[in-house]
Amino acid sequence: MADGFGVDTAAARSVASDLTTIRTALNGFGATVADGSTGSPKVEGALQRFFKDSSDNRKLLDKLLERGIGLMNGLAEGAESLDQGLAGALTTSGDGAAPGGGAPTRGPR
């Protein structure tokens, strides 16, 4: 059994955001490949060939980024939900508080 579990949800959300930025940049790469900004037909041709020849890898990378984004968001959401659920289940207050400083007690047998 695990002794503890901890998640930095802000870090998980930050990673998801960074992956989203990378994915957006990757998917926008095609629009900037051959815009004529290099001033060289040879460079433009090389960029176009690179873009065309790397399409399978870009598609795979896009799917992996999408999955990573989902995993990081899921981790953050799941950890927050678990934390809220445990906090609600373990909170004791008022006259109904368990004796012994809130330690769990056994119910009727």
Side-chain angles (χ1 to χ4, degrees):
M1 178 176 229
D3 291 334
F5 175 76
V7 174
D8 184 343
T9 57
R13 290 194 189 284
S14 177
V15 169
S17 176
D18 291 346
L19 291 176
T20 300
T21 300
I22 292 167
R23 185 175 182 222
T24 300
L26 176 70
N27 290 332
F29 179 64
T32 60
V33 167
D35 62 1
S37 63
T38 66
S40 168
K42 287 183 179 181
V43 172
E44 294 293 324
L47 286 170
Q48 288 173 357
R49 284 189 300 281
F50 170 77
F51 185 74
K52 181 180 174 235
D53 293 345
S54 66
S55 66
D56 289 345
N57 289 330
R58 283 184 289 104
K59 287 177 186 174
L60 178 59
L61 184 55
D62 180 64
K63 288 181 188 215
L64 291 171
L65 287 166
E66 180 180 31
R67 179 177 165 95
I69 292 163
L71 289 171
M72 289 292 103
N73 282 327
L75 175 64
E77 291 168 12
E80 288 169 350
S81 177
L82 177 64
D83 188 46
Q84 290 170 357
L86 286 172
L90 299 176
T91 299
T92 58
S93 62
D95 293 336
T105 59
R106 285 190 178 200
R109 292 184 190 196

mmCIF file of all heavy atoms in Angstrom, residues 86-93:
data_model
loop_
_atom_site.group_PDB
_atom_site.id
_atom_site.type_symbol
_atom_site.label_atom_id
_atom_site.label_comp_id
_atom_site.label_asym_id
_atom_site.label_seq_id
_atom_site.Cartn_x
_atom_site.Cartn_y
_atom_site.Cartn_z
ATOM 1 N N LEU A 86 -12.092 13.248 -0.268
ATOM 2 C CA LEU A 86 -11.491 12.833 1.003
ATOM 3 C C LEU A 86 -11.707 13.880 2.075
ATOM 4 O O LEU A 86 -11.997 13.547 3.228
ATOM 5 C CB LEU A 86 -9.992 12.565 0.825
ATOM 6 C CG LEU A 86 -9.639 11.281 0.092
ATOM 7 C CD1 LEU A 86 -8.136 11.228 -0.181
ATOM 8 C CD2 LEU A 86 -10.079 10.063 0.882
ATOM 9 N N ALA A 87 -11.572 15.136 1.709
ATOM 10 C CA ALA A 87 -11.772 16.205 2.693
ATOM 11 C C ALA A 87 -13.200 16.173 3.223
ATOM 12 O O ALA A 87 -13.426 16.322 4.421
ATOM 13 C CB ALA A 87 -11.468 17.566 2.076
ATOM 14 N N GLY A 88 -14.162 15.942 2.360
ATOM 15 C CA GLY A 88 -15.553 15.870 2.782
ATOM 16 C C GLY A 88 -15.837 14.652 3.649
ATOM 17 O O GLY A 88 -16.591 14.716 4.615
ATOM 18 N N ALA A 89 -15.190 13.541 3.329
ATOM 19 C CA ALA A 89 -15.425 12.311 4.069
ATOM 20 C C ALA A 89 -14.710 12.301 5.415
ATOM 21 O O ALA A 89 -15.168 11.655 6.358
ATOM 22 C CB ALA A 89 -14.967 11.114 3.247
ATOM 23 N N LEU A 90 -13.620 13.003 5.543
ATOM 24 C CA LEU A 90 -12.814 12.953 6.765
ATOM 25 C C LEU A 90 -13.043 14.123 7.705
ATOM 26 O O LEU A 90 -12.502 14.142 8.791
ATOM 27 C CB LEU A 90 -11.321 12.890 6.403
ATOM 28 C CG LEU A 90 -10.907 11.668 5.589
ATOM 29 C CD1 LEU A 90 -9.440 11.769 5.200
ATOM 30 C CD2 LEU A 90 -11.177 10.380 6.343
ATOM 31 N N THR A 91 -13.841 15.079 7.304
ATOM 32 C CA THR A 91 -14.060 16.247 8.142
ATOM 33 C C THR A 91 -14.993 15.895 9.290
ATOM 34 O O THR A 91 -16.045 15.302 9.094
ATOM 35 C CB THR A 91 -14.670 17.402 7.319
ATOM 36 O OG1 THR A 91 -13.753 17.732 6.288
ATOM 37 C CG2 THR A 91 -14.930 18.618 8.179
ATOM 38 N N THR A 92 -14.566 16.253 10.494
ATOM 39 C CA THR A 92 -15.415 16.078 11.667
ATOM 40 C C THR A 92 -15.551 17.423 12.344
ATOM 41 O O THR A 92 -14.611 18.204 12.409
ATOM 42 C CB THR A 92 -14.812 15.064 12.651
ATOM 43 O OG1 THR A 92 -13.525 15.505 13.041
ATOM 44 C CG2 THR A 92 -14.721 13.693 12.027
ATOM 45 N N SER A 93 -16.734 17.704 12.844
ATOM 46 C CA SER A 93 -16.935 18.973 13.520
ATOM 47 C C SER A 93 -18.121 18.874 14.464
ATOM 48 O O SER A 93 -18.948 17.976 14.351
ATOM 49 C CB SER A 93 -17.154 20.105 12.519
ATOM 50 O OG SER A 93 -18.312 19.848 11.768
#
